[in-house]
Amino acid sequence: MSQGRVIKRKIEKAGLAHVMAAHSPLSARLAEEAGFDALWASGFELSALYGLPDVSLVSMTQHLDMVRAMAEQSSLPIVADIDTGFGNAINVIYAVKQYERAGAAAVVIEDKTFPKVTSLVAGGRQELLRVEEFEGKIRAAAATRTDKDFLVIARTEALIAGLGENEALNRALAYEAAGADMILVHSKQKTPDEVESFVRAWSGKVPIVIVPTAYPEMNEERIKALGKIAIVIYGNHAIRASVTAMKDVFARIVSDRGIHNVNRDIVSVEEVFRLQNMDRVKTDEKLFLA
Ligand code: SPV
Ligand code: MG
């Protein structure tokens, strides 16, 4: 079964797929062990991993390499955040071929101009593409995939850009007509109101994807009660959890002048060996080293 089919099955069965951000094969494995349905190959997280702002600096090749590495270490489907598609519809055609071959289950393409500016930053420059041009990108993506279950998800940034609900709804309808399998609507309002209102007003047939980072009260109970939402993406909690943990441990080592205290509170080296499949090396040594 293709990875796109796996996500669709999950949605058919459970009504909602829970997708966790990952920025490395290790975080992908941890998300899988925690029980998520799929991985979000987040552009924000990968940019942060490189210490860079999420403004189209990380290249498609860098992102693809990470998608491939995650696909090797986790059996979960990968929803690839391909930002604006790395250029125009021609770039999208190339990207979709590459991401499908890399083992992704889906791509999310956003309707901003290239280079984009990260969505949640206060006062960010948010410029949207003409609707016709973005429709062309969605048509190009849908025409390029070879697996009919590979999902093309169109993301509108109309609410992020402050253009209002009507613009967001009109764009989403146009993107559905262009062949999008789902619509991701993003919002940076601190409460769920804006997205809830969009979802209630949504008259399209395709389901909605949300990333409730800015409005964390939107829990799964509320999402299910709203209906129409097929995927919830926890967009940056892997990198934020890592930063929290590293800051805490590093500060304690500095203040304790040693590792004697933190040692009790962090995972053992054996746990990291487990995550690295070190036991497999031991088995293979017995089998193959003469
Ligand atoms: C990402 O995780 O890269 C996203 C979500 O696109 S956000 O950063 O909220 O725009
Ligand atoms: Mg992104």
Side-chain angles (χ1 to χ4, degrees):
M1 195 175 6
S2 73
Q3 291 290 59
R5 188 73 224 140
V6 172
I7 295 195
K8 286 184 179 175
R9 273 267 179 92
K10 180 74 202 178
I11 296 165
E12 280 158 21
K13 274 195 181 162
L16 182 68
H18 310 135
V19 181
M20 176 48 77
H23 53 267
S24 64
L26 184 65
S27 53
R29 287 196 57 173
L30 293 171
E32 180 163 7
E33 289 188 358
F36 288 98
D37 301 315
L39 302 168
W40 169 238
S42 158
F44 174 83
E45 290 218 346
L46 190 59
S47 302
L49 190 71
Y50 281 102
L52 292 172
D54 182 19
V55 292
S56 299
L57 298 179
V58 169
S59 71
M60 182 178 86
T61 309
Q62 286 173 300
H63 190 254
L64 255 177
D65 281 348
M66 189 54 80
V67 166
R68 287 193 192 100
M70 294 198 299
E72 270 178 36
Q73 290 299 333
S74 164
S75 64
L76 290 183
I78 297 175
V79 180
D81 172 14
I82 66 166
D83 288 355
T84 61
F86 310 100
N88 66 17
I90 305 305
N91 300 76
V92 167
I93 290 171
Y94 183 66
V96 167
K97 280 185 190 156
Q98 299 293 317
Y99 279 86
E100 199 180 348
R101 277 191 204 135
V107 286
V108 173
I109 315 173
E110 65 197 47
D111 60 358
K112 292 206 284 224
T113 54
F114 177 90
K116 55 71 90 52
V117 170
T118 196
S119 302
L120 300 182
V121 68
R125 178 185 57 79
Q126 303 295 344
E127 289 167 4
L128 266 52
L129 224 52
R130 283 180 304 110
V131 174
E132 298 72 25
E133 192 176 348
F134 193 70
E135 285 172 326
K137 288 168 111 169
I138 295 301
R139 281 193 287 110
T144 301
R145 66 175 153 206
T146 58
D147 170 13
K148 64 175 181 8
D149 289 319
F150 182 87
L151 290 158
V152 174
I153 302 175
R155 163 170 166 176
T156 184
E157 294 280 291
L159 299 178
I160 293 282
L163 301 178
E165 183 173 296
N166 280 344
E167 179 73 15
L169 288 166
N170 289 338
R171 280 179 174 261
L173 285 170
Y175 304 160
E176 176 181 12
D181 299 299
M182 293 186 191
I183 300 294
L184 190 158
V185 63
H186 205 13
S187 165
K188 61 180 175 194
Q189 296 294 314
K190 300 279 181 272
T191 68
D193 303 359
E194 188 175 54
V195 160
E196 281 182 339
S197 172
F198 176 95
V199 174
R200 287 201 187 96
W202 174 238
S203 60
K205 288 187 183 53
V206 301
I208 295 171
V209 180
I210 62 165
V211 188
T213 310
Y215 47 100
E217 314 89 280
M218 185 77 146
N219 60 20
E220 288 166 17
E221 205 184 333
R222 269 176 97 157
I223 294 171
K224 283 198 167 164
L226 258 184
K228 302 184 199 174
I229 298 172
I231 296 181
V232 55
I233 295 174
Y234 299 113
N236 56 27
H237 300 77
I239 200 86
R240 286 166 64 197
S242 310
V243 171
T244 306
M246 283 193 269
K247 274 188 166 182
D248 173 55
V249 168
F250 296 173
R252 286 174 63 196
I253 294 172
V254 168
S255 72
D256 293 348
R257 296 188 164 270
I259 54 177
H260 46 286
N261 285 326
V262 293
N263 200 48
R264 287 190 293 271
D265 301 330
I266 56 180
V267 297
S268 64
V269 183
E270 284 69 30
E271 170 61 0
V272 181
F273 288 158
R274 185 187 70 78
L275 290 163
Q276 292 172 300
N277 288 326
M278 193 56 208
D279 54 348
R280 184 73 213 210
V281 175
K282 287 188 181 162
T283 314
D284 285 345
E285 277 182 350
K286 282 197 191 104
L287 283 173
F288 305 119
L289 289 191

